[in-house]
Amino acid sequence: MARAGLSREAVVRIAVDLVDAGGPGGFADLTLAKVAAQAGVATPSLYKHVGSLAALRREVCVVAVEDYTRALTDATVGLAGPDAVAALAHATRRYARAHPGRYAAVQVAPDPDDPADAALSAAASRSVQVVAAVLRGFDLPEDRTIDAIRSVRASLHGFVALEVGGGYRLHDDLDRSFDLHVRAVLAGLGSLSQPD
């Protein structure tokens, strides 16, 4: 029998907390058995609230993407151009450092052809819209907007994923390196606005 008060929302919240507590590998290591143990129920009891581990992971991704999007929006509201991109970059780094497991869940791309991914697709679309709004200040040609979004995302993700995963072991100032990285991203965006 499921614990009194256990609901789908409560199961998802427990899963999100476990993902956060698990560090960079928290999302990959998420299991129904871990959630059930944390909830104080037998694993089969979870099926009253979530259909499968895949469904639970999808729910965690939606929570993570929505949370990440709020962080980006809060950081960039009222800013434009290079200031907005720098704020977005620093917000991404802060989020990944504070929630490395949840940040890993943000990276899961929804399948646009799978109806089960509809909520995640909608959340991901809102996140992309925030980045697109940030990039409007660069007067990019319309056909380069998606390229620019992908480039910014890949570049920032590369830096912060290496950082939270322990990939930077040298004693040099990592904050300085990140600031220089952001400057390089801005220079790249500037070049995209130029004709070929």
Side-chain angles (χ1 to χ4, degrees):
M1 178 126 188
R3 186 177 76 184
L6 197 61
S7 64
R8 183 185 66 80
E9 293 77 16
V11 170
V12 172
R13 175 67 358 200
I14 290 167
V16 169
D17 290 345
L18 286 169
V19 163
D20 273 346
F27 181 70
D29 295 340
L30 181 67
T31 65
L32 290 176
K34 287 180 181 178
V35 174
Q38 188 69 27
V41 299
T43 302
S45 297
L46 294 181
Y47 290 108
K48 290 184 172 194
H49 309 290
V50 293
S52 64
L53 178 59
L56 180 59
R57 286 179 184 272
R58 192 178 294 115
E59 295 273 358
V60 169
C61 289
V62 171
V63 169
V65 170
E66 289 175 345
D67 189 41
Y68 174 64
T69 302
R70 276 190 300 276
L72 296 184
T73 301
D74 290 348
T76 59
V77 68
L79 299 175
D83 292 339
V85 172
L88 178 124
H90 286 281
T92 296
R93 186 179 183 215
R94 279 193 305 275
Y95 189 85
R97 290 166 82 179
H99 305 286
R102 206 180 302 186
Y103 179 74
V106 168
Q107 307 313 312
V108 175
D111 179 348
D113 299 322
D114 186 349
D117 275 359
L120 181 55
S121 290
S125 177
R126 289 188 294 273
S127 191
V128 168
Q129 289 169 11
V130 171
V131 180
V134 163
L135 295 177
R136 280 195 198 106
F138 287 86
D139 294 322
L140 298 171
E142 189 173 326
D143 65 341
R144 291 188 179 170
T145 301
I146 291 298
D147 297 328
I149 291 169
R150 288 174 174 162
S151 180
V152 167
R153 179 181 178 208
S155 180
L156 295 177
H157 175 66
F159 192 103
V160 300
L162 284 167
E163 180 178 7
V164 299
Y168 297 130
R169 300 288 182 164
L170 297 177
H171 297 292
D172 297 75
D173 185 344
L174 200 51
D175 291 338
R176 179 178 178 271
S177 294
F178 188 72
D179 288 340
L180 290 172
H181 181 72
V182 172
R183 284 171 52 192
V185 169
L186 290 169
L189 287 171
S191 73
L192 284 177
S193 66
Q194 305 301 316
D196 288 331

